[in-house]
């Protein structure tokens, strides 16, 4: 399969008709649940993610986890059993989900102003409804929105994006499942897009070091693009919420 | 993972690093001393990085392949960080550290296709023959890599990758012959065993960041690990290819810092790989050639049990080479240090032949 299909055609289009530096369509919605303190739904291409945030609240369970100078961020990643082509046996607890949970926690801890909430805990629950590549970045983006909806102070948006290298030359943004299967290296970056700081980076498969610069730059560009999209969504959500409470009339 | 460090120690380590010094006297770009201990079996390697010890043991068996990839063998990693390494770890639980290590090793060695899995296929039968699409008559090799962290004195990730790399190169699987549907697996004494076909060899280099990310050191020791604020693990090979990157949390890094680390990692990998090359060259030359000596081997008991070979590599010098049989030292010698200055295999081989001849004659005299 990998032999006769190219990631990037001669005229520069990808398998799903995108250009190399195009993101998939991102649609998102804040405040989808009432029970959690904050929630968000995000679609990135066909990948669909739900995120819910509880807290900050008192540390539950093992009290010894509590930190005197910062809040504990607890993340749980799970994939719905129907989210992949083959029905999953267990939604969470396998090695891959545990790894994503750990990475999610690391990316979010870097963005949340945890020092404002000593002795407390913030829970982030993320559920994948439909997996179509780029699960981890979509989860980070959804979790950011949910944190904003919960009103938790962030240093800035934390956005994540994948990038790959097509035909050993052209960096490609936002890898879909189809492209993941065909192969090629995948670089996942979670960054604070405004300051350009990278909070998490991982890569699988291999490419030459000379390409690292441009693939990384492309991934960071993707993070910045995603930040704009999320920013728009947050603004329009605030406007909706605000106008429904009649803030336009207060002036 | 909680190794308690006092505030004094912490500030001392950071203060020293800010002056470009490290508490164990290394430079900031230095690795600790690297040692390999090769066991009596193929694919049994204990790598030491300073005091950190990781054991890798490779074994192979013939299995039925998965139905989706019926012409590919398996490369399985089983990684264990037991309480033996450090009291911080519990038994039998999938700890965070264990998952992290497993993923980085898998990324490095499996996802970057180090072992040619197609080359591990023995019999690829006809799929149409059975309705259930099960590949009963298919046979492939399953290469299992067991990695045990024996002693955790900081940076077991680099050490584990060294162990796995060396073990993959040291490992030999039994030779096979296919006649019709029959597959014959030969004893390693009857036919020379076959090395794995490896595309490239990545090694991991860990860069640790301190304070607010402005201080930096390669290969953190346990004390430095407890102080460090972030870590970037780069899996790279001598072809200047990046095979895995893992930067998780801690201090945020800029693009330039990552590029700089990549540059450093290449230099380090070239050093470490050439050390490993030299070590393996010595070891492989000292392996009795099973094809030539198969009859002799059966009569000669010490060759039959491949002797335990121990050697250490440091600073490009090979020394303390010893071939030890099960109970007594059969050959023990100091490979002269000038070997380190001559890197070509022939001079190493010649020296080794001399030493072996010498010890044979001594043995003859004794008997």
């Amino acid at each position: 399969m990998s032999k006769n299909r190219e990631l990037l055609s001669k005229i520069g289009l990808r398998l799903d008709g995108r250009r190399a530096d195009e993101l998939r369509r991102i649609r998102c919605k804040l405040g989808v649940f009432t029970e959690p303190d904050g929630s968000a739904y995000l679609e990135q291409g066909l990948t669909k993610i739900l995120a819910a945030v509880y807290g900050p609240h008192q540390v539950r369970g093992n009290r010894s986890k509590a930190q005197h100078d910062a809040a504990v961020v607890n993340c749980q990643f799970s994939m719905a059993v129907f989210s992949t082509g083959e029905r999953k046996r267990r939604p969470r607890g396998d090695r891959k989900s545990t790894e994503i949970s750990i990475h999610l926690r690391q990316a979010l801890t870097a963005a949340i102003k945890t020092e404002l909430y000593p002795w407390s805990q913030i829970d982030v629950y993320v559920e994948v409804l439909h997996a179509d590549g780029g699960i981890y970045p979509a989860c980070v983006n959804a979790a950011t929105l949910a944190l904003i909806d919960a009103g938790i102070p962030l240093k800035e948006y934390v956005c994540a994006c994948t990038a790959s290298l097509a035909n050993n030359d052209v960096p490609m943004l936002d890898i879909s499942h189809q492209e993941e299967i065909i192969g090629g290296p995948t670089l996942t970056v979670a960054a604070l897009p405004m300051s350009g700081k990278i909070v998490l980076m991982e890569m699988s498969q291999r490419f030459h070091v000379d390409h690292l610069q441009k693939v990384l730059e492309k991934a960071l560009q993707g993070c910045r693009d995603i930040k704009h999209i999320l920013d728009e969504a947050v603004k329009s959500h605030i406007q909706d919420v605000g106008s429904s409470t009649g803030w336009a009339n207060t002036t | 993972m909680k190794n308690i460090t006092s505030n004094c120690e912490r500030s001392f380590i950071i203060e020293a690093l800010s002056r470009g010094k490290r508490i164990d006297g290394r430079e900031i770009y230095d690795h600790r001393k690297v040692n390999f201990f090769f066991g009596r079996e193929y694919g049994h390697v204990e790598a030491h990085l300073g005091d950190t010890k990781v054991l890798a043991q490779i074994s192979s068996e013939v299995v039925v392949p998965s139905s989706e990839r019926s012409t590919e063998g398996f490369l399985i990693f089983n990684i264990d960080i037991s309480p033996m390494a450090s009291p911080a770890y519990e038994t039998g639980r999938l700890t965070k550290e264990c998952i992290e290590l497993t993923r980085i090793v898998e990324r490095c060695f499996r996802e970057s296709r180090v072992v040619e899995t197609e080359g591990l296929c023995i019999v690829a039968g006809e799929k149409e023959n059975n309705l259930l699409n099960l590949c009963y008559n298919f046979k492939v090799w399953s290469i299992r890599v067991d990695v045990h962290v024996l002693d955790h004195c900081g940076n077991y990730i680099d050490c584990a990758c060294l162990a796995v790399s060396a073990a993959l190169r040291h490992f030999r699987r039994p030779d096979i012959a296919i006649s019709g549907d029959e597959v014959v697996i030969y004893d390693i004494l009857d036919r020379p065993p076959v090395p794995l076909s490896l595309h490239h060899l990545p090694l991991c280099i860990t860069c640790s960041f301190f304070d607010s990310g402005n201080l930096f050191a390669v290969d953190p020791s346990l004390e430095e690990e407890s102080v460090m604020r972030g870590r970037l693990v780069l899996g790279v090979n001598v072809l200047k290819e990046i095979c895995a990157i893992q930067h998780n949390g801690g201090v945020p890094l800029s693009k330039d810092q990552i590029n700089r680390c990549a540059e450093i990692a290449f230099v380090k990998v070239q050093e470490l790989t050439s050390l490993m090359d030299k070590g393996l060259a010595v070891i492989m030359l000292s392996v009795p050639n099973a094809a030539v000596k198969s009859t002799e081997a059966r009569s000669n008991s010490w060759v039959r049990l491949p002797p335990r070979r121990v050697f250490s590599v440091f600073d490009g010098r090979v020394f303390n080479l010893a071939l030890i049989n099960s109970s007594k030292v059969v050959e023990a010698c100091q490979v002269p240090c000038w070997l380190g200055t001559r890197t070509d295999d022939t001079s190493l081989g010649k020296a080794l032949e001399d030493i072996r001849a010498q010890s044979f004659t001594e043995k003859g005299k004794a008997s």
Side-chain angles (χ1 to χ4, degrees):
Chain A
M1 191 161 97
S2 57
K3 299 282 185 293
N4 49 22
R5 284 164 91 183
E6 277 192 327
L7 285 170
L8 201 63
S9 72
K10 285 195 181 67
I11 52 167
L13 291 178
R14 287 154 70 173
L15 292 166
D16 48 9
R18 282 185 288 160
R19 302 226 168 252
D21 55 355
E22 252 177 295
L23 290 167
R24 289 177 289 175
R25 181 183 62 178
I26 297 180
R27 294 205 296 191
C28 45
K29 198 169 173 348
L30 280 82
V32 285
F33 300 133
T34 49
E35 177 59 20
D37 296 304
S39 59
Y41 169 75
L42 183 128
E43 273 180 27
Q44 192 161 353
L46 293 174
T47 303
K48 299 184 177 71
I49 313 278
L50 270 175
V53 171
Y54 289 87
H57 55 71
Q58 199 178 10
V59 175
R60 299 214 181 98
N62 188 0
R63 286 285 169 85
S64 61
K65 278 189 308 187
Q67 294 169 353
H68 69 91
D69 54 354
V72 178
V73 180
N74 171 38
C75 289
Q76 196 176 69
F77 167 87
S78 62
M79 282 178 88
V81 286
F82 50 82
S83 61
T84 48
E86 221 168 286
R87 201 176 165 84
K88 276 180 80 76
R89 231 172 274 138
R90 50 200 292 203
R92 64 188 80 89
D94 58 333
R95 201 175 282 162
K96 194 182 154 204
S97 351
T98 320
E99 195 206 13
I100 293 184
S101 298
I102 294 168
H103 286 174
L104 206 53
R105 185 175 154 258
Q106 283 160 342
L108 298 180
T109 315
I112 298 172
K113 283 180 171 281
T114 48
E115 67 276 11
L116 296 180
Y117 302 104
W119 304 109
S120 22
Q121 178 178 346
I122 297 165
D123 291 320
V124 181
Y125 298 101
V126 179
E127 172 101 16
V128 178
L129 299 181
H130 190 151
D132 185 53
I135 299 170
Y136 174 73
C139 286
V140 172
N141 300 336
T144 307
L145 287 180
L147 285 168
I148 291 169
D149 186 42
I152 290 170
L154 302 178
K155 289 179 190 130
E156 60 174 283
Y157 286 82
V158 51
C159 300
C161 190
T162 51
S164 178
L165 195 67
N167 310 339
N168 234 332
D169 184 34
V170 191
M172 244 169 29
L173 207 57
D174 198 10
I175 312 306
S176 69
H177 182 58
Q178 213 179 9
E179 289 162 337
E180 270 176 13
I181 289 176
I182 288 179
T186 310
L187 180 79
T188 308
V189 170
L192 307 175
M194 284 189 275
S195 57
K197 287 281 188 186
I198 295 160
V199 293
L200 184 135
M201 179 160 87
E202 57 172 34
M203 203 200 88
S204 45
Q205 302 215 14
R206 57 184 157 131
F207 58 71
H208 197 269
V209 68
D210 295 347
H211 300 307
L212 177 66
Q213 184 97 25
K214 59 183 179 189
V215 177
L216 189 54
E217 180 49 51
K218 189 59 82 176
L220 285 173
Q221 181 58 47
C223 292
R224 284 194 287 273
D225 293 348
I226 288 170
K227 187 238 150 192
H228 286 302
I229 295 167
L230 299 188
D231 203 31
E232 283 302 309
V234 170
K235 278 179 185 156
S236 81
H237 174 72
I238 299 293
Q239 217 152 31
D240 285 353
V241 174
S243 55
S244 66
T245 57
W247 68 1
N249 304 330
T250 51
T251 48
Chain B
M1 196 55 200
K2 282 281 168 270
N3 175 38
I4 295 174
T5 315
S6 66
N7 288 343
C8 298
E9 265 181 293
R10 185 180 294 268
S11 53
F12 180 71
I13 291 171
I14 289 179
E15 180 63 31
L17 274 167
S18 65
R19 298 181 187 185
K21 300 257 191 306
R22 296 172 76 168
I23 48 168
D24 46 9
R26 281 184 286 162
E27 297 290 318
I28 51 170
Y29 298 127
D30 282 357
H31 262 90
R32 283 166 290 174
K33 186 176 162 181
V34 176
N35 272 298
F36 293 102
F37 293 87
F38 292 82
R40 60 174 56 205
E41 282 171 46
Y42 287 116
H44 178 111
V45 177
E46 201 181 303
H48 292 192
L49 182 62
D51 288 330
T52 302
K53 300 179 185 72
V54 175
L55 172 81
Q57 164 82 59
I58 302 185
S59 49
S60 59
E61 58 174 338
V62 178
V63 295
V64 174
S66 71
S67 55
E68 295 116 53
R69 298 183 171 193
S70 54
T71 57
E72 284 183 30
F74 295 102
L75 180 67
I76 300 165
F77 288 96
N78 179 30
I79 295 177
D80 181 38
I81 308 179
S82 67
M84 191 207 274
S86 157
Y89 305 119
E90 294 168 43
T91 36
R93 270 193 59 204
L94 219 53
T95 53
K96 194 183 133 196
E97 289 82 16
C98 189
I99 291 172
E100 236 178 2
L101 180 60
T102 310
R103 286 297 296 159
I104 189 104
V105 170
E106 281 184 350
R107 277 217 182 89
C108 242
F109 291 94
R110 191 159 62 203
E111 291 179 20
S112 68
R113 294 174 181 276
V114 169
V115 177
E116 189 192 349
T117 43
E118 288 88 354
L120 298 173
C121 182
I122 302 169
V123 183
E126 290 294 316
K127 223 174 188 177
E128 300 89 338
N129 285 355
N130 54 67
L131 294 166
L132 288 169
N133 205 14
L134 293 172
C135 327
Y136 287 121
N137 50 349
F138 291 23
K139 285 182 184 69
V140 295
W141 283 107
S142 165
I143 307 293
R144 182 189 168 92
V145 185
D146 286 289
V147 180
H148 290 267
V149 179
L150 301 178
D151 196 356
H152 172 38
C153 297
N155 198 10
Y156 54 73
I157 296 179
D158 289 14
C159 195
C161 285
L162 282 168
V164 173
S165 265
L168 284 172
R169 290 176 70 175
H170 187 240
F171 179 70
R172 301 285 186 271
R173 64 169 173 79
D175 198 13
I176 46 162
I178 303 161
S179 55
D181 285 349
E182 286 283 292
V183 177
V184 185
I185 300 172
Y186 288 101
D187 191 281
I188 55 165
L189 292 173
D190 294 335
R191 277 205 189 182
V194 188
L196 297 172
S197 68
L198 305 173
H199 288 306
H200 63 114
L201 267 177
L203 288 175
C204 279
I205 305 294
T206 301
C207 302
S208 50
F209 294 89
F210 301 87
D211 212 12
S212 54
N214 48 353
L215 298 173
F216 160 91
V218 174
D219 180 27
S221 64
L222 191 61
E223 294 80 20
E224 285 164 342
E225 270 190 0
S226 63
V227 177
M228 74 181 180
R229 298 280 309 279
R231 181 173 66 190
L232 177 69
V233 184
L234 287 152
V236 281
N237 61 19
V238 281
L239 307 171
K240 288 200 103 181
E241 283 173 322
I242 299 188
C243 308
I245 301 179
Q246 191 147 316
H247 162 53
N248 23 18
V251 327
L253 301 177
S254 69
K255 218 172 58 189
D256 300 333
Q257 279 174 308
I258 288 165
N259 284 322
R260 187 166 145 246
C261 288
E263 289 302 322
I264 294 163
F266 284 115
V267 179
K268 301 305 301 176
V269 159
Q270 269 154 7
E271 280 173 26
L272 290 175
T273 310
S274 72
L275 282 185
M276 200 197 291
D277 284 345
K278 273 176 209 157
L280 278 158
V282 175
I283 287 308
M284 283 311 170
L285 282 167
S286 64
V287 171
N289 188 338
V292 181
K293 294 190 179 154
S294 64
T295 46
E296 190 190 335
R298 286 173 192 284
S299 58
N300 193 337
S301 60
W302 83 262
V303 187
R304 192 178 168 78
L305 269 181
R308 179 172 161 79
R309 285 168 287 272
V310 182
F311 81 102
S312 24
V313 183
F314 179 52
D315 274 354
R317 285 197 293 272
V318 180
F319 55 93
N320 284 339
L321 178 90
L323 304 181
I324 303 165
N325 203 348
S326 53
S327 56
K328 57 179 180 174
V329 176
V330 176
E331 299 174 34
C333 57
Q334 289 265 324
V335 177
C337 281
W338 56 259
L339 272 178
T341 57
R342 301 230 190 137
T343 51
D344 53 321
D345 287 0
T346 47
S347 64
L348 273 175
K350 197 165 158 288
L352 203 81
E353 281 303 314
D354 288 351
I355 291 153
R356 290 185 67 198
Q358 212 178 336
S359 62
F360 267 119
T361 49
E362 275 168 18
K363 220 171 73 173
K365 274 181 207 161
S367 61

